Every structure is written in structure tokens, then in C-alpha cells.
Amino acid sequence: SQTIHQWPATLVQPVGSPLSLECTVEGTSNPNLYWYRQAAGRGLQLLFYSVGIGQISSEVPQNLSASRPQDRQFILSSKKLLLSDSGFYLCAQISVGSTDTQYFGPGTRLTVL
Amino acid sequence: QKEVEQNSGPLSVPEGAIASLNCTYSDRGSQSFFWYRQYSGKSPELIMSIYSNGDKEDGRFTAQLNKASQYVSLLIRDSQPSDSATYLCAVSGGSYIPTFGRGTSLIVHP
């Protein structure tokens, strides 16, 4: 079965600092990978998704970017964090070819001060 | 714009009762339907998936799908305090980009 790892688990960063969140997947190959953000008391917001290495689709224009340097690695980055970037960041994957069930990683809680 | 609607709640039920959570969706082409449970501060955990009209049972959970009415529900029998969480409904049309509802908060009180 597939396992999703995310790190760090928690992060406190000052406004204007850079960001790098990493997600890796085990137990599957060529997964679709997703980054979501969940702000306090709000729903899931899809930020980026990727169907393969180097292929990134952005759902919401903002100061975040994503990269997929390897098949099972998905990175979320920012050059300068804003207060509004605070939230719970979730990496998710779908193993294409079976069912389209989406599984989530444990998440990273980011607080921007 | 694909939409998934859920009552935000909170839905409060006594321990041992049946909790009924509802979800409607706008895209008639939707093919797959999921219920996730999310405890406070944790990531969503898949608890049920359903793909055809009717009922699907798994332990204390029953998912019900009515594609004609564009309606999917989750019943939790013999509700326990440990079932207190936010329940997210997700709908997929085969594009591998699920649409999520905002979730319903369930409180099971002893």
C-alpha cells in the first residue's frame, strides 16, 4: 500500500522568508500528486497538481510554486511568504489505473508571523 | 464550476444514535464519490467510497448514492464520541481532480 511522507510537520516562519515543503510517496509509481491548503476553519483549496515529472498545473495564482523533480517527489515553494500563506498544507496522491481514490499525507502546519 | 455542498453543522447527536450526513453535487457526469473523516489538526482519512446507485455498508458506516437526485449521504450507526470529527464529501468525474465540500462537523455527546 502507498505511504505519503511530508516534512516538516510544523513550521513557523517570518513574513518575507522562503518556504520549501517536501512530499514523497512510497508504494506506487507514476502517481498523480496534489498540494492542498486548508486555512483555519475553511475547506480544502487545491493549489497544484502534477500528472508526471516536470508537469505542474496551478489552480490558484499566488506567490507559491511547485516542482516535481522525481516521480514520487513533490515540492511546494515560495520565495517570500505572506501572512495569508498560513495554513495546513496537505500532499495527496491518486494511483492512476486503479480507482481514482485520493489519499492524503499527514500534513504540514505552517504559521507565518 | 463544479460544486459540492454540505451543511457545515455542527450536527450534534447523542451517543448510540444514527448520524446522517448529506452532500449534494452539481456535476451530473460525476462517477466516484468519497467520504473522508478529518479529526481536528489531522489530515483527511478515507472512510467510504461509492460508485453506483444504492447503499454500500462497511461496519457502522453506510454510504448512499442517488445519481438522479445528485445526492450522496453517509449514515453512522451507533455513533460514538470518537466519531466526533469533520466529514468531507468528495466527488470525482474521472479527471483525477476531486471536488471537495467544505465539510460537516459532527459532535457525538455522551
Side-chain angles (χ1 to χ4, degrees):
Chain A
S1 64
Q2 57 269 43
T3 304
I4 303 174
H5 300 281
Q6 286 188 248
W7 61 89
T10 60
L11 190 60
V12 180
Q13 291 286 94
V15 170
S17 64
L19 174 72
S20 180
L21 303 181
E22 189 165 346
C23 168
T24 59
V25 181
E26 293 180 358
T28 185
S29 58
N30 196 29
N32 282 7
L33 296 175
Y34 306 78
W35 279 112
Y36 288 90
R37 178 170 61 201
Q38 190 174 40
R42 303 187 66 179
L44 289 170
Q45 179 186 28
L46 179 62
L47 302 175
F48 301 94
Y49 68 94
S50 171
V51 300
I53 296 173
Q55 300 180 61
I56 308 294
S57 297
S58 174
E59 290 293 299
V60 182
Q62 53 207 320
N63 68 320
L64 300 173
S65 62
S67 62
R68 187 166 176 178
Q70 300 180 40
D71 180 46
R72 286 174 283 182
Q73 184 183 31
F74 203 23
I75 296 173
L76 182 70
S77 303
S78 175
K79 292 182 179 179
K80 289 185 177 181
L81 284 169
L82 306 173
L83 285 174
S84 58
D85 291 324
S86 293
F88 192 35
Y89 286 81
L90 292 158
C91 179
Q93 70 94 13
I94 291 178
S95 295
V96 177
S98 54
T99 66
D100 55 351
T101 307
Q102 191 171 55
Y103 295 94
F104 288 86
T108 295
R109 186 159 305 281
L110 171 66
T111 303
V112 182
L113 301 175
Chain B
Q1 183 78 3
K2 299 176 182 178
E3 295 183 345
V4 176
E5 299 289 341
Q6 295 181 256
N7 188 320
S8 62
L11 172 66
S12 182
V13 300
E15 184 175 357
I18 296 176
S20 178
L21 304 164
N22 304 315
C23 171
T24 59
Y25 59 95
S26 62
D27 183 8
R28 284 194 172 275
S30 299
Q31 302 170 12
S32 305
F33 306 85
F34 308 94
W35 283 100
Y36 290 84
R37 177 177 61 200
Q38 186 175 23
Y39 292 114
S40 180
K42 302 295 185 180
S43 64
E45 171 194 13
L46 179 72
I47 54 172
M48 289 287 286
S49 58
I50 187 167
Y51 303 95
S52 55
N53 279 331
D55 295 0
K56 179 181 178 182
E57 187 174 320
D58 183 0
R60 295 187 296 112
F61 298 99
T62 299
Q64 299 175 319
L65 175 61
N66 184 325
K67 289 186 178 180
S69 299
Q70 294 176 243
Y71 176 95
V72 58
S73 64
L74 179 70
L75 301 179
I76 306 175
R77 291 182 301 280
D78 188 24
S79 296
Q80 301 297 310
S82 59
D83 294 325
S84 298
T86 297
Y87 289 80
L88 303 174
C89 173
V91 174
S92 178
S95 66
Y96 300 108
I97 305 176
T99 301
F100 283 83
R102 294 172 64 88
T104 298
S105 174
L106 173 67
I107 299 172
V108 181
H109 52 87

